[in-house]
Amino acid sequence: MLRTQTIVVKIGTSSLTQSQTGLLALSTIATLAETLSHLRRQGHRVILVSSGAVGIGCARLGLTERPRTMAMKQAVAAVGQGRLMRVYDDFFTTLQQPIAQVLLTRSDVGERSRYVNAYNTFQALLEIGVIPIVNENDTVAVQELKFGDNDTLSALVASLVEADWLFLLTDVDRLYSADPRSFPDAQPIALVTHMEQLAQLQVQVGSPGSQWGTGGMVTKIAAARIATAAGVRTVITEGRFPHNIEKIIQGEPLGTQFAPQLQPTNARKRWIAYGLIPTGKLYLDDGAVKAICQQGKSLLAAGITTIEGEFDSQDAVQICDRFGKEVARGIVNYSSSELQNIRGRHSREIATILGYAGAANIIHRDNLVLI
């Protein structure tokens, strides 16, 4: 009996549009709709994360390059999003497959209650056989609340719904040791078992995407890191051939696969690591880094050497070693102004210094996740 799987597919602007004109690549979209509808008929739960609103809006308005200002990007996205959903609706309706539009901003996954609500909405849509089509809500998101690219958005959605697969459809057939368009002798990479393997292979990730898109191989590798940490098998493959999705699920060695972590982090810790937006940094001495990274302990004030940024209690912060490398993220029990007074001090001194009794730890290990 076929096992039902949850499959998230992200398609980029470079695959959805013609490179020279920015007009829609209708044959690709038609094949994508056929493939995803077929997966649904097989019983799988399918989510599509689609870029393209800004690129399609540019083509619709006759613009020759992507807008540079936030206001113009949002205006163009508003034009393009309606056209994009109309095209999807036409193709999926022909195939008798219901779809739904889901527009997200970073705050939808940054606030715990909205994160849980987003999860419930996705589950309800999948339960009734709908394919949600997800995009960032470009028309309202301010810069601080943007995902930055839909590769990151797709990884967060895959993590949120605890997907089995994340497919990142792009303009190359797989990951290479260098850009094959510039280096003909670049070596293909079929499987990445751990992210450090990419550094060992000296993978060069190239430029940040096409003139119409915002992604690139850098963001896809970052997305794979998020998704595999959640236990999601991630694949980079060519967007012009959506049928390859089914072939890969059936075991054909196409694209580049990133193996999922065998012991994925739990949902709350994934939310802390990737859903929240850090508002500050804490720099630690070597002893504190060892205590939290190797011994699984909570962070104490004594190990903090430097504080950067302004934040309140219960905000998320980055935790860095003395060289500035991020080693963890967590939710703090004290504000930045309080921490300036108690950093480097013993926990028993906190009440005397602040004038009131607070938590013994700065970040409890249950609110701390290693990066």
Side-chain angles (χ1 to χ4, degrees), residues 274-323:
Y274 304 114
L276 295 176
I277 302 173
T279 54
K281 290 183 179 181
L282 305 182
Y283 293 85
L284 312 185
D285 61 28
D286 293 342
V289 171
K290 181 179 179 180
I292 66 172
C293 293
Q294 297 179 26
Q295 300 169 0
K297 294 185 176 181
S298 300
L299 175 62
L300 303 178
I304 301 173
T305 59
T306 308
I307 296 157
E308 192 175 287
E310 295 184 6
F311 49 86
D312 295 320
S313 171
Q314 301 307 306
D315 280 351
V317 297
Q318 295 172 288
I319 302 167
C320 305
D321 64 17
R322 59 192 177 94
F323 302 107

Side-chain angles (χ1 to χ4, degrees), residues 101-308:
Q101 179 177 238
V102 178
L103 297 176
L104 297 174
T105 64
R106 191 65 190 250
S107 58
D108 292 321
V109 296
E111 294 179 18
R112 185 66 181 168
S113 60
R114 294 170 72 172
Y115 181 89
V116 172
N117 188 58
Y119 170 84
N120 291 335
T121 299
F122 277 117
Q123 295 303 322
L125 288 169
L126 295 172
E127 190 67 29
I128 59 176
V130 172
I131 294 180
I133 299 182
V134 185
N135 197 356
E136 182 165 13
N137 196 348
D138 287 315
T139 60
V140 300
V142 295
Q143 191 64 45
E144 293 78 10
L145 293 180
K146 289 181 68 65
F147 293 98
D149 60 84
N150 275 351
D151 294 321
T152 300
L153 173 59
S154 68
L156 290 171
V157 169
S159 172
L160 172 69
V161 300
E162 299 176 335
D164 298 282
W165 293 87
L166 169 62
F167 288 89
L168 301 171
L169 305 186
T170 184
D171 54 1
V172 293
D173 61 340
R174 62 180 59 192
L175 183 64
Y176 287 82
S177 58
D179 189 338
R181 294 167 293 193
S182 304
F183 302 92
D185 59 345
Q187 297 299 307
I189 300 169
L191 177 65
V192 178
T193 54
H194 53 87
M195 300 306 292
E196 291 74 15
Q197 181 182 341
L198 298 180
Q200 294 166 4
L201 293 170
Q202 297 183 318
V203 171
Q204 299 177 14
V205 292
S207 63
S210 68
Q211 67 164 323
W212 302 111
T214 59
M217 206 52 73
V218 175
T219 61
K220 287 167 183 58
I221 291 173
R225 187 183 299 276
I226 295 170
T228 54
V232 182
R233 181 170 290 273
T234 303
V235 183
I236 293 175
T237 190
E238 194 161 10
R240 289 185 302 161
F241 306 108
H243 284 319
N244 284 348
I245 294 171
E246 290 189 83
K247 294 178 181 179
I248 292 167
I249 292 173
Q250 292 164 3
E252 290 196 31
L254 301 170
T256 297
Q257 294 196 26
F258 295 79
Q261 287 188 13
L262 295 178
Q263 294 181 314
T265 51
N266 65 44
R268 176 175 168 77
K269 291 208 171 184
R270 292 200 303 272
W271 169 68
I272 292 171
Y274 304 114
L276 295 176
I277 302 173
T279 54
K281 290 183 179 181
L282 305 182
Y283 293 85
L284 312 185
D285 61 28
D286 293 342
V289 171
K290 181 179 179 180
I292 66 172
C293 293
Q294 297 179 26
Q295 300 169 0
K297 294 185 176 181
S298 300
L299 175 62
L300 303 178
I304 301 173
T305 59
T306 308
I307 296 157
E308 192 175 287

Side-chain angles (χ1 to χ4, degrees), residues 2-9 31-48 92-93 95-100 122-133 167 242-243 245-246 249-250:
L2 182 68
R3 184 174 75 88
T4 297
Q5 299 188 81
T6 301
I7 301 162
V8 177
V9 177
T31 306
L32 178 67
E34 288 177 349
T35 300
L36 300 188
S37 297
H38 188 237
L39 288 169
R40 265 295 311 137
R41 287 194 295 273
Q42 290 178 313
H44 298 304
R45 297 147 59 92
V46 180
I47 297 173
L48 174 62
F92 280 106
T93 298
L95 297 165
Q96 298 184 321
Q97 171 58 54
I99 61 172
F122 277 117
Q123 295 303 322
L125 288 169
L126 295 172
E127 190 67 29
I128 59 176
V130 172
I131 294 180
I133 299 182
F167 288 89
H243 284 319
I245 294 171
E246 290 189 83
I249 292 173
Q250 292 164 3

